Amino acid sequence: AGDVTLNAGSGAVSIDQPIGTSASPAGVIRVTGGRVSLPAVTSSGRQIYTATESITLTADLASSGTEIQFDGPVLLGADIAIDTADGDVANTGNIWFTSTVDSQTTARNLTLTTGAGSVSFDGAVGDVSELNLLRLYTLNNITFSDTVQLQSLFQQARGSGQFRLDGTLTSTSRDLTINTTTLALTAPVLTSGGNVSITADSVAYPDAIESNGGDITLTARVGGISAVDDGDASAAVLRTTAASGNASG
C-alpha cells in the first residue's frame, strides 16, 4: 500500500478512522501538527509522529518490523498496545518516545512489543498523570532517561540487551518486575504496596531499592549482587518498610 503524509504545520490533526489494516497495511506514515490525535494505525513502513503540543493515542499502533517514533508529548487516551514485532521476535523495529508520556485523565495501560528492537523513553513517564501498567515485551535494550511513575511495571521476557534507568522509578501501588541480561541502575527503585523483582546476569545498585509493603527479590544469573558507590550523596540500600516485607538475593 501507499505512504500517508499529513502535515498541518502548527494546526491540529484529528483522525477518526483507522489507517491501514493487518490485511492491507499502509506504507510509511508521517503525521505532523501542533496537536495530533491518532486512531488505530497498521503499517508496513515506519511511523513518525511529530507535534509541538501533544500526540494523543486512542487505539493501537502496529508496524511490520519497522520503527515507530513519537516526537512530542504523548497522551494515552485509552489502554494502548504498540507492536513492531509483527509476530516475529527477530524483527528489529524500535519504539522511541523523544518527549514525555502521560495518561490522559485516567491511568492507562501501555504495552510495548518490539521483538529484537529497543524501547527508549527520553522524557519523564507518568510525571503529570501516572500510567497504570507498563508491559514490556522487548528482547533488546530498554532505556528510561528520566523519572518513571506508574502503578506497575512488568518486563515479560528476558531482554538480551540492557535495562537502563537514569531517573527514579516509582510504583504507587503494585509490583515492579525487571528481567534483563545487563542491568544499569543509576537511580532509586521504589514501590508503595508492591514487590520488587529484578533479574539480570549481575545486579549492582547505587541507590535505594525500597518496598513499602512488599518483598524485594534480586537474582543474578551468573554474576554477583552488589551495592556500589556512584559518587553522589545517595545510599545504596535495600529497604522494606512493612513488617511482612523481605529482601532476598
PDB file of all heavy atoms in Angstrom, residues 19 39 53 62 73 90 145 150 206 226:
ATOM      1  N   ILE A  19      -6.069   3.802   9.984  1.00  0.00           N
ATOM      2  CA  ILE A  19      -5.169   3.901   8.838  1.00  0.00           C
ATOM      3  C   ILE A  19      -4.535   2.528   8.642  1.00  0.00           C
ATOM      4  O   ILE A  19      -3.772   2.058   9.483  1.00  0.00           O
ATOM      5  CB  ILE A  19      -4.077   4.952   9.073  1.00  0.00           C
ATOM      6  CG1 ILE A  19      -4.688   6.331   9.307  1.00  0.00           C
ATOM      7  CG2 ILE A  19      -3.115   4.993   7.891  1.00  0.00           C
ATOM      8  CD1 ILE A  19      -3.671   7.395   9.684  1.00  0.00           C
ATOM      9  N   PRO A  39      -5.948   7.392  15.395  1.00  0.00           N
ATOM     10  CA  PRO A  39      -6.774   6.191  15.529  1.00  0.00           C
ATOM     11  C   PRO A  39      -5.850   4.966  15.515  1.00  0.00           C
ATOM     12  O   PRO A  39      -4.634   5.079  15.701  1.00  0.00           O
ATOM     13  CB  PRO A  39      -7.622   6.248  14.263  1.00  0.00           C
ATOM     14  CG  PRO A  39      -6.650   6.782  13.237  1.00  0.00           C
ATOM     15  CD  PRO A  39      -5.761   7.767  13.989  1.00  0.00           C
ATOM     16  N   GLU A  53       2.529  20.261  20.748  1.00  0.00           N
ATOM     17  CA  GLU A  53       1.710  20.276  21.960  1.00  0.00           C
ATOM     18  C   GLU A  53       1.433  18.880  22.505  1.00  0.00           C
ATOM     19  O   GLU A  53       1.730  18.596  23.659  1.00  0.00           O
ATOM     20  CB  GLU A  53       0.392  21.009  21.695  1.00  0.00           C
ATOM     21  CG  GLU A  53       0.576  22.485  21.365  1.00  0.00           C
ATOM     22  CD  GLU A  53      -0.746  23.192  21.208  1.00  0.00           C
ATOM     23  OE1 GLU A  53      -1.684  22.897  21.990  1.00  0.00           O
ATOM     24  OE2 GLU A  53      -0.874  24.027  20.288  1.00  0.00           O
ATOM     25  N   ALA A  62       0.638  -0.575  15.034  1.00  0.00           N
ATOM     26  CA  ALA A  62       1.429  -1.754  14.684  1.00  0.00           C
ATOM     27  C   ALA A  62       2.190  -1.498  13.391  1.00  0.00           C
ATOM     28  O   ALA A  62       1.694  -0.829  12.476  1.00  0.00           O
ATOM     29  CB  ALA A  62       0.532  -2.981  14.523  1.00  0.00           C
ATOM     30  N   PRO A  73       5.085  15.361  23.147  1.00  0.00           N
ATOM     31  CA  PRO A  73       4.470  14.770  24.337  1.00  0.00           C
ATOM     32  C   PRO A  73       3.329  13.822  23.968  1.00  0.00           C
ATOM     33  O   PRO A  73       2.441  14.185  23.196  1.00  0.00           O
ATOM     34  CB  PRO A  73       3.946  15.982  25.112  1.00  0.00           C
ATOM     35  CG  PRO A  73       4.739  17.150  24.597  1.00  0.00           C
ATOM     36  CD  PRO A  73       5.010  16.839  23.161  1.00  0.00           C
ATOM     37  N   ALA A  90      12.445 -11.818  15.733  1.00  0.00           N
ATOM     38  CA  ALA A  90      13.671 -11.357  15.071  1.00  0.00           C
ATOM     39  C   ALA A  90      13.525  -9.958  14.482  1.00  0.00           C
ATOM     40  O   ALA A  90      14.523  -9.334  14.105  1.00  0.00           O
ATOM     41  CB  ALA A  90      14.077 -12.337  13.967  1.00  0.00           C
ATOM     42  N   SER A 145      15.359   7.545  30.390  1.00  0.00           N
ATOM     43  CA  SER A 145      16.318   8.632  30.617  1.00  0.00           C
ATOM     44  C   SER A 145      15.859   9.627  31.665  1.00  0.00           C
ATOM     45  O   SER A 145      16.625  10.519  32.037  1.00  0.00           O
ATOM     46  CB  SER A 145      16.590   9.372  29.293  1.00  0.00           C
ATOM     47  OG  SER A 145      17.159   8.495  28.349  1.00  0.00           O
ATOM     48  N   LEU A 150       4.283   5.059  37.828  1.00  0.00           N
ATOM     49  CA  LEU A 150       3.198   4.221  37.345  1.00  0.00           C
ATOM     50  C   LEU A 150       2.722   3.347  38.492  1.00  0.00           C
ATOM     51  O   LEU A 150       3.256   3.405  39.596  1.00  0.00           O
ATOM     52  CB  LEU A 150       3.658   3.370  36.151  1.00  0.00           C
ATOM     53  CG  LEU A 150       5.107   2.836  36.127  1.00  0.00           C
ATOM     54  CD1 LEU A 150       5.395   1.870  37.238  1.00  0.00           C
ATOM     55  CD2 LEU A 150       5.428   2.219  34.787  1.00  0.00           C
ATOM     56  N   PRO A 206      23.298   1.449  42.909  1.00  0.00           N
ATOM     57  CA  PRO A 206      23.975   2.571  43.556  1.00  0.00           C
ATOM     58  C   PRO A 206      23.055   3.411  44.431  1.00  0.00           C
ATOM     59  O   PRO A 206      23.525   4.297  45.147  1.00  0.00           O
ATOM     60  CB  PRO A 206      24.488   3.399  42.380  1.00  0.00           C
ATOM     61  CG  PRO A 206      23.433   3.202  41.341  1.00  0.00           C
ATOM     62  CD  PRO A 206      22.926   1.794  41.524  1.00  0.00           C
ATOM     63  N   SER A 226      25.589  -6.571  44.229  1.00  0.00           N
ATOM     64  CA  SER A 226      26.435  -5.661  44.991  1.00  0.00           C
ATOM     65  C   SER A 226      25.816  -4.281  45.091  1.00  0.00           C
ATOM     66  O   SER A 226      25.140  -3.805  44.175  1.00  0.00           O
ATOM     67  CB  SER A 226      27.823  -5.544  44.341  1.00  0.00           C
ATOM     68  OG  SER A 226      27.712  -5.086  43.000  1.00  0.00           O
TER      69      SER A 226
END
